[in-house]
Structure formats: C-alpha cells, structure tokens
Amino acid sequence: GGGGGGGGGAAHISTPPIPNSFPQLEAMKPAELGELLNDERALRRFVQSLDGVKTMNKLRDDLKNADGGDEASAAELDRQLAAARAKRDAAKAQFDELHGKQVAVSERLSIHSLVAQLGALADEAERDSDAVAREYLDGAIGDEREFKRRFLQLRTLYHLRAAKRESLGLRA
C-alpha cells in the first residue's frame, strides 16, 4: 500500500493506499458506466466521491493551510532579513569610513611620509638658524650669549632632524 505523508508538521493524515480494484465501479450497471465514459463531469464527480480522493483532498487542503502559516512566517522572516541587511549596510558604511581614516593615518605615518616631514622640518630649522646668524651679523641681536643660545638651539634641532631623516631614509 501507500506510505505515510511527508515529514510536514500539520498533516497527520496518512496517504491512502492505491486500490487494486474499484468495487464501486464493479457494482455499477452498464448504463451508469456508460455515463461515466461519456460525461466528463459525471466522471469527475465520481472520482471526487471516492474515499481515497477525499482523503487526498483533505491532506492537500491541510498542507495548503499549513503553507498559509508559512507565508506569514516568511513575511516575518523577510522583515527580519530586511532589518538585518539595513544593519549590515550601516555597519559596512561605518567600517568603510573608519577604514578610510585608518588608511589616511597610515599614509601620514608611513616611512616615506615621515622622511619627507623630517626633511621639511630640518630645512625650516636650518633657515631659522641662518636667519638668527644674519640678525647677529646685522646687529639686530646685540647680546652674544643670546645669539649663541638661540643659534645652538636651532642648529641642534636641525642636526637632530637631519640625522633622524637619514636614519629613516636608509630603512625606506
């Protein structure tokens, strides 16, 4: 005979066995059989009246009703999925923004960038020390101790920056 229905939750009706014979047909008179052969509607009504067909129709209806519940569940899952996607998109936008900032910071702190910055700062310190020397020679700075203090401070800064630039430049 036939087995149980599928593994569905709502359908507890087992599939009816396929009969080897149809006693209802055997009990009919030849005129009634002729009507079934010649009238499509009569044949459909007869088939729908069979117990196995009724059972299958009930099983089908139960499964359809169960699917209706699944449609509501599917709609809820769709809403949850849309909310999750929106969260994901917001998180991705935030990630992209933070990643862009990280890349900018990384570029600013790269060896090549630091070497260039140190070079510019060393050049600035050298120009400033040259300006102090010119001021002293032009008489704008009258105190020799003041000149030595400012000039040595700027020359020390220049040499520190130049040495660091060289050190980093060798690693780059």
Side-chain angles (χ1 to χ4, degrees):
H12 297 291
I13 303 169
S14 63
T15 306
I18 299 173
N20 293 326
S21 65
F22 293 92
Q24 297 96 329
L25 290 176
E26 291 174 5
M28 288 185 163
K29 297 178 183 165
E32 292 173 317
L33 289 173
E35 182 183 346
L36 291 179
L37 286 173
N38 296 323
D39 185 356
E40 183 88 20
R41 286 187 196 149
L43 179 61
R44 278 196 197 128
R45 277 193 307 273
F46 172 76
V47 169
Q48 292 299 322
S49 73
L50 296 173
D51 287 339
V53 173
K54 286 179 184 177
T55 303
M56 289 301 293
N57 285 339
K58 181 168 179 14
L59 179 59
R60 180 197 64 214
D61 292 343
D62 289 349
L63 289 173
K64 276 186 181 178
N65 291 337
D67 285 346
D70 289 344
E71 286 176 20
S73 297
E76 177 59 26
L77 288 175
D78 284 344
R79 283 190 290 280
Q80 290 175 5
L81 181 61
R85 283 182 176 150
K87 272 180 141 178
R88 180 207 58 201
D89 292 345
K92 184 178 181 328
Q94 184 180 18
F95 169 80
D96 290 344
E97 178 185 346
L98 293 174
H99 183 259
K101 287 180 181 179
Q102 179 196 14
V103 167
V105 168
S106 294
E107 287 173 359
R108 266 196 352 251
L109 298 178
S110 72
I111 296 281
H112 296 292
S113 177
L114 292 175
V115 167
Q117 289 174 21
L118 279 172
L121 291 172
D123 292 345
E124 180 184 329
E126 185 176 34
R127 281 192 304 274
D128 290 348
S129 70
D130 288 348
V132 168
R134 264 187 258 108
E135 288 177 17
Y136 179 72
L137 293 174
D138 292 343
I141 300 176
D143 183 19
E144 187 177 329
R145 284 180 21 190
E146 175 66 17
F147 162 71
K148 284 181 181 180
R149 183 188 66 74
R150 286 177 58 196
F151 184 78
L152 285 176
Q153 182 181 17
L154 289 169
R155 291 311 288 181
T156 301
L157 187 59
Y158 162 74
H159 286 291
L160 283 172
R161 289 175 176 171
K164 286 179 184 177
R165 175 184 60 190
E166 247 181 76
S167 172
L168 286 174
L170 294 175
R171 285 191 241 160

